[in-house]
Amino acid sequence: MSDDHKLIPREPSSMVEVMSMPSRVPGLDLSPREPHLYDYLLILRKQLWLILSFLLAVVTIVSIASFRMQPVYQATARIEIDREDAHLLPFPGADSFDLMADI
């Protein structure tokens, strides 16, 4: 016999078979549902102190290690400042139109 059937003694000589009724409402299935975003947020909130302490420890260790490292490169820069030249053409009084016409 399956788990749905049970034998219940009624009188000493006879037995009655009891069958369980199938669920009439198929929407009330007790199977596990898919997790939603809110479920993940509840888990993160529950473990907030653990997450923050781990983050603080990692940031502290990486900061100390990066400040203790020797620099790998050295940079230099040079800035040259010249006076602005008012005459862009090689000789004074020449227009750009005249220069293009000769070509």
Side-chain angles (χ1 to χ4, degrees):
M1 294 197 164
S2 67
D3 293 337
D4 293 340
H5 303 289
K6 297 178 184 175
L7 294 177
I8 300 175
R10 194 167 207 203
E11 295 177 3
S13 63
S14 68
M15 296 287 227
V16 176
E17 186 175 343
V18 179
M19 296 174 50
S20 65
M21 295 287 292
S23 175
R24 293 183 183 200
V25 183
L28 294 178
D29 190 16
L30 297 177
S31 64
R33 64 179 176 86
E34 279 192 39
H36 295 282
L37 180 62
Y38 185 71
D39 297 329
Y40 293 119
L41 291 176
L42 286 177
I43 292 170
L44 287 176
R45 187 174 178 195
K46 188 176 181 181
Q47 303 295 330
L48 182 65
W49 286 112
L50 179 66
I51 294 168
L52 288 178
S53 61
F54 180 75
L55 181 68
L56 181 68
V58 167
V59 168
T60 303
I61 291 170
V62 169
S63 298
I64 291 171
S66 65
F67 283 123
R68 292 185 58 143
M69 284 184 177
Q70 296 294 327
V72 177
Y73 61 90
Q74 181 177 0
T76 58
R78 178 179 291 171
I79 298 175
E80 182 177 339
I81 301 174
D82 291 330
R83 289 187 190 173
E84 190 173 321
D85 191 14
H87 304 290
L88 297 176
L89 297 175
F91 46 91
D95 290 336
S96 62
F97 179 72
D98 294 336
L99 185 64
M100 291 177 130
D102 290 339
I103 298 177

